[in-house]
Amino acid sequence: MEGQGHSITHYKQYPPNVSKIYSYFECRRKKDSQFSEVVFFGLQYLLKKYLTGPVITEEKIQEAKLFYQMHFKQAVFDEEGWRKVLEKHDGRLPIRIKAVPEGRIIPRGNVLFTVENTDPNFYWLTNYIETMLVQMWYPITVATISREFKKILAKHLKATSGSLEGLDLKLHDFGYRGVSSQESAALGGAAHLVNFRSTDTVAGLLMAQRYYACPMAGFSIPAAEHSTIISWGRNREKEAFERVLDQFSSGPVSVVSDSYDIFNACKHIWGDKLKEQVMERSQDSCLVIRPDSGDPTETLIEVIKILEECFGCSLNSVGYKVLPSYLRIIQGDGIDLTSVDEILQKLSDEGWSAENMFFGCGSALLQKLNRDTLSCAFKCSYVETNGKGMDVYKQPVTDPSKGSKRGRLSLRRNSDGFLETIERGAGKPEEDLLVTVFENGSLVQDYSLEEIRKNARLQDEELNPILHNHEQELLHNHIFNGIH
Amino acid sequence: MSRRPEVRSSLLCDHTAGRVAAIDRGEHPSGGLESLTAPLEAAPSGRHFTEVTHYKQYPPNTSKVYSYFECREKRTDPTKSRKVKYDKTVFYGLQYILHKYLKGKVVTPEKIQEAKEVYREHFQDDVFNEKGWTYILEKYNGHLPIEIKAVPEGSVIPRGNVLFTVESTDPECYWLTNWVETILVQIWYPITVATNSREQKKILAKYLLETSGNLEGLEYKLHDFGYRGVSSQETAGIGASAHLVNFKGTDTVAGIGVIKKYYGTKDPVPGFSVPAAEHSTITAWGKDHEKDAFEHIIKQFPSVPVSIVSDSYDIYNACEKIWGEDLRGLIETRSADAPLVVRPDSGNPLDTVLKVLEILGKKFPTEENSKGFKVLPPYIRVIQGDGVDINTLQEIVEGMKQHKWSIENIAFGSGGALLQKLTRDLLNCSFKCSYVVTNGLGVNVFKDPVADPNKRSKKGRLSLHRTQSGDFVTLEEGKGDLEEYGVDLLHTVFQNGKIVKTYTFDEVRDNAKLKESELEELLH
């Protein structure tokens, strides 16, 4: 339960006789941001792993004392304070956390969770656990971006095929090697699984299993990678491909085909030398060809044209071209929100259905994001000193968007049906959508991935872009001209 | 099914401190997904799913797979023109991965069983290489028959050179090389943090030298503020330790735990911090009591430096009226070892810094140093910790120089840009197979995609050498055997489950320090 170095010194800095510090977390509104709403996810992991049960022990207090003595070159560590937690509360944190249910979709600029101490002696604890709780930015941001991908994929899939079948397998998590640590892989991987069920990030599955009660949250297919192709030598790419097909004759298989020349591989190897073997495969054991270099859109257009020439295609019920069911393509290089939209748009312009495509996303899904992506912030909004409550806030003249909310907060649905945050303790408890999830060392709510997935599923309005525009505008205006 | 006792996180560090205790008690922690403390923490399950299926895809009678890692050069870059080139990279972080995930007994019968079940579910098919893993368990007591050779940690090596190689040492386990790939590729992160941090050190060194004549305090000029902005606790530890290769100021405590546990230093701790306020400790006093908050805090820490965030309401008013007038007396009595450090935290970084310096320069007596630049009195300094990345850092120090402010006046804090806003693409980190032995014959292999020459990989067995002129060169196709270029700079660090060479953090820092020649280059 590390704090940030200087958090250790904060207990000395609050006004005398402070008895409560109440803070909250939000994804602040930011003008011109492409993300107007967020998926709330990941708190349960942090609670279960780091905050539940007796987290303070005498051993840890001693370690910390020694450590901070050296780190600050002086004694600033509040040994007595921490020992009191141990003695009075058995090492359990006297903290209450209220939060939006996981998986819920909440517009920017709203309170997502609040933290307060439940014992007046431990007012400094709220701020101490801040740094760890701010790391919520990560699973929230991954889950949000993953869902944005889903909206784009749904839009194109609906338009070019008439249905959303297979949507939740359309975006494969390729991010394992590109994240900064195993733990991030697990957390990010799990966040993606809120929206999809295809992943190569093992750790995410295990995270979902252990912290969100989901025995098997996602699936994958056998796949080649460059080493398994190039190890055959430059002149034996066909043999390498053939081997993969033979080894995995039932079930889909993905074969990276750009080790030397993707176009040659498609035209002369898949489309000619191995054409029969490809055609023998059933829909349930299709070959998925994977380009992995060059401009994604251009490469895909050329690849799909070559495949059309070699294998033919058919028209689906809405008049778009589909490759034979034994053949598909996965693009796993250079994919982000912009490129996936461009690719599918271009394909659609050329008459191709999104059914032909799968996508893999690596760093854009799990690494190429940061706390500023959704402007995540944790701020103190209310304190009690000498028995009196006071609404507090920051409001820097140099940046109004960094202003924070005031007083005790609640989240409710207003009469227009929009979610809004009520400040200054003015909210009615019965309308409050924030739920106590953690209290005095115990987990009070336990969400399963199944529930979370339900909460996070795409709504009809999001699936139907034409009808949705007007409401989107309303919501957009509501958020960005919102209450403060 | 044996379940390891839950290792609770400590006040200092997450699992790392707990595991120190475990080792002291003689328990031998297994590798794998430690941080999840899940039953499936196993080498078999802990990776990229598709790797599970690769053992079936290599040519028949393959008895060795040899791969390497590099930060590829980017020869053609049509879409972007980066201001910062990153010509060289700092090699760091392998030792952490080896200790934490690859050494010792990483497989047990239970783990094999569970992995088999997971994969059956996940692929809806029997693809798991049970035979292969059982072989490792039986013949090697669960240790990985792999050899890894690497440049010494902390080495600063130009892009496009081999940094480490991985090969299987048992013909039955040719598939293992590729299995460990995904975990090893995550070395991109500590390498990238350490490299980006070092490039910023060069910028700071240049301007500090130019505006003050010496490099005093350089190691405290860029403070790690990144804890809250990283994606996980584990990332915090790794990233913070990578920054500490170059600097000594950090608020990301976890980094210190990583260094102590996986590298070791002669000093008790490798990184330091100072007491600091944050917005809640100011705003909790109420809007009309900012002065009381400031006064209280500054009095709490009379004899060490104390950093006080001053923009909760109006940074300029805080500097001019509160620090500059109301509390001036209190500040002037502070010693040079215990300055007040004023912290702006919003607005355009360069403009804000210049305006804050201007105001403080009016309220407090500045002096001109030997280079002709202005310095605030030693009891007051500034720290800019908002919006700092390698580009804005350059802008700010250049702007200060132009306005005749010495860099002695300022320190920087960096959070997201230091530890999070980085990807594997920044330095094009890549792990590729370059050599295989099939039917007893060695074959040099490589990829060379027609649509992207930058993605071409190296061929054959590789070694790293120094030329006569002191440059680095990677020899391919086993040419290092010819001994034309002297010794191979790659050393075996891991062999069949054992770590055979380690580096202390002091060695790492020594290897990574700025060279005289680099400083000279900077000044011209």
Side-chain angles (χ1 to χ4, degrees):
Chain A
M1 206 183 65
E2 294 131 347
Q4 227 170 255
H6 63 77
S7 304
I8 279 286
T9 67
H10 290 163
Y11 72 99
K12 287 192 176 191
Q13 301 177 25
Y14 288 107
N17 304 321
V18 160
S19 58
K20 181 184 276 287
I21 303 267
Y22 172 108
S23 298
Y24 77 98
F25 179 99
E26 67 166 318
C27 298
R28 292 192 306 246
R29 253 175 245 118
K30 201 92 190 211
K31 222 171 146 209
D32 301 328
S33 171
Q34 67 184 116
F35 306 111
S36 58
E37 56 189 18
V38 307
V39 179
F40 186 71
F41 174 72
L43 183 59
Q44 190 159 296
Y45 164 73
L46 289 179
L47 295 176
K48 283 184 175 178
K49 187 164 162 81
Y50 296 112
L51 299 179
T52 333
V55 296
I56 310 302
T57 64
E58 185 58 44
E59 197 187 330
K60 289 176 185 173
I61 293 176
Q62 287 312 317
E63 270 183 84
K65 179 178 170 189
L66 266 173
F67 171 79
Y68 283 116
Q69 172 77 34
M70 295 186 292
H71 186 61
F72 284 97
K73 300 191 211 176
Q74 56 161 344
V76 292
F77 181 64
D78 182 19
E79 186 180 353
E80 276 321 300
W82 285 104
R83 190 163 289 115
K84 275 209 201 93
V85 179
L86 184 58
E87 289 163 1
K88 198 168 172 200
H89 297 283
D90 256 346
R92 304 169 79 90
L93 299 175
I95 288 275
R96 177 183 307 118
I97 300 177
K98 297 181 70 165
V100 155
E102 296 216 16
R104 290 292 295 268
I105 313 301
I106 313 288
R108 297 274 287 274
N110 278 299
V111 59
L112 295 175
F113 65 90
T114 63
V115 185
E116 60 189 302
N117 56 301
T118 54
D119 180 329
N121 287 308
F122 303 104
Y123 60 89
W124 46 271
L125 261 181
T126 308
N127 170 260
Y128 189 76
I129 60 176
E130 168 181 337
T131 326
M132 163 180 298
L133 290 174
V134 175
Q135 285 183 358
M136 274 296 292
W137 77 262
Y138 182 63
I140 287 175
T141 308
V142 176
T144 299
I145 291 191
S146 166
R147 192 170 186 276
E148 291 296 315
F149 269 109
K150 198 171 184 180
K151 289 182 194 170
I152 294 169
L153 289 160
K155 170 180 92 173
H156 288 284
L157 195 55
K158 190 79 195 265
T160 62
S161 81
S163 94
L164 291 176
E165 207 182 301
L167 173 63
D168 60 2
L169 294 171
K170 284 287 180 203
L171 183 66
H172 206 94
D173 173 355
F174 276 5
Y176 209 164
R177 68 191 55 206
V179 308
S180 45
S181 69
Q182 293 289 310
E183 191 182 3
S184 294
L187 197 41
H192 175 65
L193 292 171
V194 168
N195 306 294
F196 289 90
R197 292 190 312 143
S198 43
T199 183
D200 260 22
T201 303
V202 182
L205 288 183
L206 300 177
M207 159 85 60
Q209 191 185 75
R210 180 150 168 79
Y211 294 91
Y212 289 95
C214 184
M216 182 49 63
F219 304 94
S220 185
I221 63 174
E225 69 132 45
H226 289 104
S227 77
T228 63
I229 305 299
I230 68 181
S231 54
W232 291 72
R234 185 160 194 158
N235 300 320
R236 297 175 74 213
E237 196 181 15
K238 166 186 160 286
E239 281 79 3
F241 284 2
E242 201 166 14
R243 172 80 166 183
V244 180
L245 288 183
D246 288 338
Q247 289 294 314
F248 303 102
S249 50
S250 63
V253 65
S254 152
V255 185
V256 66
S257 305
D258 79 319
S259 300
Y260 313 107
D261 184 338
I262 175 75
F263 309 116
N264 175 71
C266 290
K267 191 160 184 171
H268 298 292
I269 308 182
W270 295 125
D272 181 16
K273 298 193 180 125
L274 295 177
K275 186 169 164 185
E276 265 180 55
Q277 280 104 310
V278 175
M279 290 176 71
E280 266 164 20
R281 299 180 78 90
S282 70
Q283 180 176 345
D284 296 323
S285 61
C286 62
L287 164 67
V288 188
I289 293 178
R290 181 160 81 88
D292 195 46
S293 49
D295 175 80
T297 314
E298 283 170 29
T299 308
L300 279 169
I301 293 292
E302 205 177 327
V303 161
I304 210 167
K305 280 200 178 114
I306 292 172
L307 296 177
E308 182 186 11
E309 267 170 42
C310 298
F311 295 94
C313 67
S314 57
L315 288 182
N316 64 19
S317 60
V318 289
Y320 284 85
K321 293 190 281 190
V322 190
L323 291 168
S325 59
Y326 50 74
L327 190 59
R328 290 290 178 263
I329 306 174
I330 182 166
Q331 175 68 28
D333 178 55
I335 293 300
D336 57 33
L337 289 169
T338 311
S339 63
V340 80
D341 200 13
E342 270 172 24
I343 289 168
L344 289 173
Q345 190 56 52
K346 190 80 205 274
L347 283 172
S348 156
D349 291 342
E350 304 271 322
W352 290 100
S353 166
E355 293 164 278
N356 293 295
M357 292 300 307
F358 292 93
F359 293 93
C361 190
S363 68
L365 188 66
L366 299 191
Q367 181 63 26
K368 211 170 189 165
L369 19 96
N370 56 75
R371 189 166 71 94
D372 295 329
T373 306
L374 299 176
S375 306
C376 297
F378 186 100
K379 289 292 169 281
C380 177
S381 64
Y382 174 81
V383 301
E384 279 173 9
T385 312
N386 291 317
K388 250 183 64 178
M390 177 168 61
D391 298 345
V392 299
Y393 59 96
K394 64 182 268 199
Q395 186 69 63
V397 73
T398 25
D399 189 352
S401 80
K402 277 192 164 194
S404 60
K405 299 189 192 301
R406 304 169 195 207
R408 298 169 70 238
L409 310 172
S410 57
L411 183 70
R412 73 169 192 140
R413 201 170 279 285
N414 68 16
S415 49
D416 290 325
F418 293 123
L419 289 170
E420 65 183 11
T421 297
I422 309 293
E423 301 182 42
R424 304 182 206 259
K428 298 190 194 131
E430 64 272 15
E431 291 183 339
D432 191 5
L433 298 170
L434 299 177
V435 171
T436 302
V437 292
F438 177 93
E439 191 150 33
N440 299 332
S442 300
L443 198 70
V444 177
Q445 290 289 332
D446 205 336
Y447 298 101
S448 68
L449 189 65
E450 204 185 312
E451 284 173 83
I452 294 172
R453 280 172 157 168
K454 260 207 203 94
N455 286 338
R457 69 185 182 283
L458 295 185
Q459 302 300 319
D460 288 328
E461 317 88 73
E462 292 170 303
L463 297 172
N464 201 336
I466 302 152
L467 279 181
H468 187 38
N469 268 339
H470 170 67
E471 271 156 38
Q472 263 283 39
E473 228 182 277
L474 253 181
L475 181 61
H476 192 92
N477 291 336
H478 177 84
I479 294 168
F480 288 99
N481 304 322
I483 311 148
H484 200 285
Chain B
M1 176 173 76
S2 61
R3 193 182 274 265
R4 278 184 49 250
E6 276 251 10
V7 176
R8 276 293 173 186
S9 39
S10 75
L11 288 177
L12 310 179
C13 315
D14 52 355
H15 32 284
T16 54
R19 284 186 66 219
V20 175
I23 288 168
D24 288 343
R25 288 196 296 270
E27 289 160 24
H28 196 72
S30 53
L33 295 168
E34 226 68 65
S35 53
L36 290 189
T37 63
L40 281 149
E41 43 189 280
S45 72
R47 306 300 164 250
H48 205 122
F49 269 120
T50 57
E51 259 127 44
V52 191
T53 67
H54 289 162
Y55 72 101
K56 292 190 175 193
Q57 301 176 26
Y58 287 104
N61 305 319
T62 295
S63 56
K64 184 188 274 285
V65 173
Y66 173 110
S67 298
Y68 76 99
F69 178 96
E70 67 166 320
C71 297
R72 288 193 313 249
E73 256 182 298
K74 201 102 183 192
R75 273 166 238 114
T76 54
D77 207 352
T79 49
K80 300 175 208 142
S81 61
R82 286 221 185 86
K83 294 180 201 171
V84 187
K85 298 281 182 215
Y86 301 111
D87 292 329
K88 301 184 189 163
T89 62
V90 178
F91 185 72
Y92 171 71
L94 181 61
Q95 198 158 296
Y96 168 84
I97 296 174
L98 297 177
H99 267 291
K100 194 162 156 77
Y101 296 111
L102 297 181
K103 77 167 188 219
K105 183 172 181 170
V106 298
V107 193
T108 65
E110 294 83 22
K111 287 178 183 177
I112 293 180
Q113 220 16 66
E114 289 172 74
K116 184 177 167 189
E117 277 154 27
V118 168
Y119 284 125
R120 164 146 256 299
E121 273 305 302
H122 186 70
F123 285 98
Q124 302 278 292
D125 198 0
D126 266 318
V127 294
F128 180 62
N129 186 6
E130 185 179 359
K131 184 159 161 272
W133 283 107
T134 307
Y135 176 85
I136 291 176
L137 180 63
E138 288 168 359
K139 184 157 183 202
Y140 296 99
N141 192 25
H143 289 61
L144 298 175
I146 285 274
E147 181 177 354
I148 300 177
K149 300 176 72 161
V151 300
E153 296 223 13
S155 299
V156 181
I157 312 282
R159 296 277 286 277
N161 279 297
V162 59
L163 296 174
F164 68 88
T165 63
V166 184
E167 59 189 295
S168 46
T169 56
D170 182 324
E172 292 294 319
C173 303
Y174 62 89
W175 50 272
L176 201 52
T177 309
N178 172 260
W179 183 273
V180 296
E181 171 178 338
T182 325
I183 181 81
L184 287 171
V185 174
Q186 281 186 357
I187 200 179
W188 78 263
Y189 179 64
I191 287 178
T192 307
V193 174
T195 301
N196 186 48
S197 159
R198 190 174 188 277
E199 287 299 311
Q200 292 176 89
K201 192 175 186 181
K202 283 156 78 173
I203 294 170
L204 287 160
K206 172 179 147 94
Y207 283 85
L208 192 54
L209 263 176
E210 285 176 347
T211 62
S212 80
N214 66 61
L215 290 177
E216 208 179 298
L218 173 63
E219 291 170 325
Y220 291 94
K221 288 288 179 199
L222 185 62
H223 203 94
D224 175 351
F225 276 7
Y227 210 159
R228 68 190 55 204
V230 295
S231 44
S232 67
Q233 295 286 320
E234 190 184 5
T235 295
I238 300 169
S241 73
H243 174 65
L244 289 172
V245 169
N246 308 296
F247 289 90
K248 287 190 174 167
T250 185
D251 260 21
T252 305
V253 174
I256 297 177
V258 166
I259 293 168
K260 281 160 83 79
K261 177 151 166 58
Y262 298 100
Y263 289 87
T265 53
K266 59 181 190 322
D267 298 321
V269 284
F272 304 92
S273 189
V274 298
E278 68 132 46
H279 290 102
S280 77
T281 63
I282 306 297
T283 62
W285 293 71
K287 179 161 190 174
D288 300 322
H289 295 274
E290 194 181 19
K291 168 179 156 295
D292 297 324
F294 284 3
E295 187 171 355
H296 177 82
I297 296 171
I298 209 176
K299 281 179 174 165
Q300 288 291 317
F301 304 102
S303 47
V304 284
V306 62
S307 153
I308 301 194
V309 67
S310 306
D311 79 320
S312 300
Y313 313 107
D314 184 339
I315 175 72
Y316 305 125
N317 175 70
C319 290
E320 181 152 7
K321 292 274 152 44
I322 311 183
W323 295 128
E325 286 164 22
D326 302 336
L327 298 177
R328 197 164 106 191
L330 275 180
I331 302 170
E332 285 170 339
T333 53
R334 296 180 74 91
S335 78
D337 295 323
L340 161 69
V341 187
V342 177
R343 180 161 82 88
D345 195 47
S346 48
N348 172 276
L350 174 59
D351 296 340
T352 308
V353 163
L354 289 177
K355 195 161 172 194
V356 162
L357 286 170
E358 196 191 314
I359 294 172
L360 294 177
K362 286 203 179 93
K363 293 295 186 180
F364 296 90
T366 60
E367 281 189 4
E368 211 179 83
N369 67 18
S370 60
K371 289 279 186 177
F373 288 86
K374 295 179 284 187
V375 191
L376 290 168
Y379 49 73
I380 189 164
R381 290 287 178 264
V382 175
I383 183 165
Q384 173 67 26
D386 177 55
V388 175
D389 62 34
I390 193 167
N391 296 312
T392 56
L393 180 70
Q394 166 67 40
E395 280 166 27
I396 296 169
V397 292
E398 174 62 32
M400 280 175 67
K401 178 180 166 193
Q402 278 174 24
H403 284 81
K404 294 306 248 178
W405 286 105
S406 167
I407 305 307
E408 293 164 277
N409 292 297
I410 197 163
F412 295 90
S414 185
L418 192 70
L419 299 190
Q420 180 62 28
K421 270 181 187 163
L422 309 158
T423 66
R424 188 166 72 93
D425 295 329
L426 187 68
L427 303 176
N428 299 115
C429 299
S430 161
F431 186 102
K432 290 292 169 286
C433 176
S434 63
Y435 177 80
V436 296
V437 176
T438 308
N439 290 314
L441 275 177
V443 182
N444 298 333
V445 299
F446 58 97
K447 65 182 268 198
D448 192 3
V450 71
D452 194 351
N454 286 313
K455 280 193 166 192
R456 186 181 45 177
S457 60
K458 298 188 193 302
K459 307 180 189 183
R461 289 164 53 245
L462 309 173
S463 51
L464 184 68
H465 306 265
R466 278 213 110 116
T467 64
Q468 296 276 9
S469 46
D471 296 325
F472 288 92
V473 63
T474 293
L475 295 182
E476 300 183 40
E477 305 182 85
K479 291 188 176 132
D481 293 343
L482 300 173
E483 299 202 346
E484 258 184 82
Y485 281 97
V487 296
D488 185 2
L489 299 172
L490 303 177
H491 303 277
T492 302
V493 290
F494 181 94
Q495 183 117 34
N496 298 334
K498 290 196 168 62
I499 296 180
V500 297
K501 184 156 175 63
T502 57
Y503 299 92
T504 65
F505 204 67
D506 303 304
E507 287 172 292
V508 174
R509 278 177 154 165
D510 199 50
N511 287 333
K513 66 180 186 286
L514 298 185
K515 315 258 183 311
E516 280 299 326
S517 52
E518 285 176 297
L519 292 173
E520 273 161 33
E521 226 180 284
L522 285 169
L523 294 175
H524 302 110

